[in-house]
Amino acid sequence: MAVTDTLVGVDLGTTKISAIIAEVNSDGEIQVVGVGNTASPGMRRGVVVNIEKTTEAIAEAVGQAEQMAGVKVKDVYVGIAGDHIRSINSRGVIAVSRGHAVDRSTVISQNDVERVIDAARAVALPMDREVLHVLPQGFTVDDEPGIRVPVGMTGLRLEADVHIITGAIASAQNIYRCVRRAGIGMRGLVLEPLASSYAVLGDEEKELGVCLLDLGGGTADIAVFEGGTIRHTSVIGLGGANVTRDIALVLGIPIEVAEKLKIERGNIYPPLTEGEPITVEIGDDMKPRQVDPAELNEIIRARMEEILEMVLRELKRVDCMRMIASGLVITGGGSLLRGTTMLAEEIFRKPIRVGVPRGLNGLADTVHNPAFATGVGLILYGLKYDGEVSFYGDESDLFSRILKLLKGWFHGLVN
Ligand SMILES: Nc1ncnc2c1ncn2[C@@H]1O[C@H](COP(=O)(O)OP(=O)(O)OP(=O)(O)O)[C@@H](O)[C@H]1O
Ligand SMILES: [Mg+2]
């Protein structure tokens, strides 16, 4: 079948940068044709802290994927996270414009929908922040709430509820700079948990209410869906790297050794009470260390508990616990830690499952890993919202407008 488009997702993680190239055919099927993955030394807690190193890592990951796919990448969707991300729900109201026909009826047009969304997004923002996403949640026509597609309905007053996600302009511009310096164009900038949600959540879950929790190396990202639309997003600046640092500090061993120990021997639930000591090699001229597995897992569990409890507090703060009947779907490398789902069940008292990316063919095996949820999600998001893919009609118009807006925001930046 003919390839109609090539979509590329670049996940700028705190621990790894991964690039995924996928080809879309005329049936909308997606085939993964290239994957690249490198360490990410220029990022910290979800944001770029070293332009040079991040540029190199992006070029390296994209280069690997290009080689595998045998194609040259033109432009990419990139993820953005970091604890500078804020989200708010907002409402806009307009009077529906009168048509030109004789009866001057008030049938809602696409133009009215755009006007009401503009009205809803008109919130005062500090100078250093910009809007990343404006996601419509639902419309009210006169006094009828909960309408998803108002175009074509008759009414006098149109209200829109939207979820607005904002980020620090500087963080977004640094990402843009790195991608451009790596010789690649940027097709879209997408909030990471929003991207991940496209890879791991089902429509039914989003309808019933679900929380996506991406436990990464540097951040824990949250996205709550209910009634088929997004309700809340936020980013907490703690992740697997904190767990590793705790192990290194408490046991007095190098970071790389602590990371290996965590991945190979970490198992936090049920808590271990005893076990054979683990012999740990820490360097050529150093004496091996004996580590008590119960102590190791106590260190890991304490930090994981702290992270999950912060997520619980956040969900309670924004009154989302009652919305998530389907529970939580956990992705990111942190979801691979043994015992995480059981600990989460105890803390949240909700169903918990690990989210493995789906919806792809081809090299799908390579990305069949919760740590690739963001990379795969960027592609699925692109497929749904790209201005060039017109079969999604109205929504893509809206997206291309927002993309234009984003481009305006980057306009004037050198490099
Ligand atoms: N099997 C495992 N057991 C425990 N932890 C793991 C395992 N595999 C990966 N991790 C941890 O997951 C983290 C990396 O996850 P991931 O790749 O999702 O992060 P990232 O996308 O690079 O970072 P972020 O999204 O926070 O910017 C690391 O801290 C790593 O130690
Ligand atoms: Mg990540």
Side-chain angles (χ1 to χ4, degrees), residues 80-398:
I80 181 168
D83 56 12
H84 59 95
I85 300 289
R86 298 279 178 279
S87 74
I88 46 166
N89 291 323
S90 168
R91 170 172 286 193
V93 188
I94 59 156
V96 176
S97 51
R98 297 216 169 257
H100 297 297
V102 189
D103 62 351
R104 299 193 35 87
S105 66
T106 52
V107 177
I108 296 164
S109 65
Q110 181 61 30
N111 185 266
D112 291 318
V113 172
E114 289 184 15
R115 276 200 306 128
V116 75
I117 288 172
D118 275 345
R121 78 181 293 280
V123 291
L125 281 185
M127 286 287 286
D128 58 346
R129 306 188 71 76
E130 227 338 325
V131 172
L132 282 169
H133 297 281
V134 179
L135 305 165
Q137 295 171 315
F139 298 89
T140 303
V141 178
D142 293 340
D143 288 318
E144 193 59 43
I147 289 167
R148 290 191 186 174
V149 186
V151 175
M153 292 180 71
T154 300
L156 291 172
R157 198 182 70 220
L158 178 63
E159 290 174 42
D161 287 306
V162 300
H163 184 69
I164 302 176
I165 299 167
T166 69
I169 292 182
S171 294
Q173 287 179 338
N174 284 338
I175 292 177
Y176 184 71
R177 231 172 241 135
C178 294
V179 173
R180 286 291 302 273
R181 284 195 184 181
I184 308 161
M186 204 150 99
R187 199 148 151 184
L189 186 62
V190 187
L191 181 72
E192 285 176 14
L194 183 65
S196 307
S197 73
Y198 281 83
V200 300
L201 298 184
D203 289 342
E204 209 164 290
E205 282 173 328
K206 287 198 228 175
E207 200 61 50
L208 261 176
V210 67
C211 173
L212 173 106
L213 173 58
D214 187 325
L215 295 175
T219 62
D221 307 345
I222 302 170
V224 177
F225 294 80
E226 190 260 342
T229 67
I230 189 131
R231 299 292 170 193
H232 180 70
T233 45
S234 61
V235 176
I236 292 171
L238 285 177
N242 299 87
V243 178
T244 304
R245 259 197 305 273
D246 289 350
I247 302 171
L249 275 172
V250 177
L251 299 181
I253 56 176
I255 290 277
E256 309 79 64
V257 179
E259 174 75 10
K260 191 161 171 275
L261 205 51
K262 174 179 83 172
I263 290 176
E264 287 174 2
R265 305 300 293 262
N267 188 352
I268 53 172
Y269 204 97
L272 267 185
T273 45
E274 55 187 336
E276 287 291 305
I278 309 165
T279 306
V280 181
E281 302 288 344
I282 49 175
D284 290 344
D285 38 1
M286 311 272 274
K287 231 175 79 202
R289 288 277 309 277
Q290 297 295 311
V291 172
D292 172 10
E295 186 189 2
L296 170 70
N297 281 299
E298 190 46 45
I299 300 166
I300 303 176
R301 202 165 58 94
R303 182 63 92 169
M304 289 303 284
E305 248 175 41
E306 184 200 6
I307 297 174
L308 296 175
E309 272 162 11
M310 276 176 83
V311 173
L312 176 67
R313 270 203 301 281
E314 172 71 3
L315 292 176
K316 283 185 174 162
R317 183 183 70 82
V318 293
D319 205 16
C320 279
M321 275 308 279
R322 60 181 177 84
M323 284 185 190
I324 53 171
S326 295
L328 291 92
V329 176
I330 307 185
T331 68
S335 69
L336 295 170
L337 176 67
R338 283 174 290 270
T340 300
T341 46
M342 279 189 280
L343 179 65
E345 261 163 24
E346 190 180 278
I347 289 176
F348 295 98
R349 302 195 173 278
K350 297 270 184 197
I352 310 281
R353 71 171 178 90
V354 172
V356 179
R358 54 188 179 194
L360 300 178
N361 305 307
L363 297 168
D365 273 1
T366 328
V367 295
H368 197 80
N369 178 323
F372 282 107
T374 307
V376 170
L378 285 166
I379 289 171
L380 296 171
Y381 180 94
L383 180 70
K384 182 151 187 194
Y385 286 108
D386 197 289
E388 290 165 32
V389 185
S390 58
F391 46 81
Y392 282 98
D394 301 345
E395 270 182 321
S396 67
D397 287 350
L398 183 68

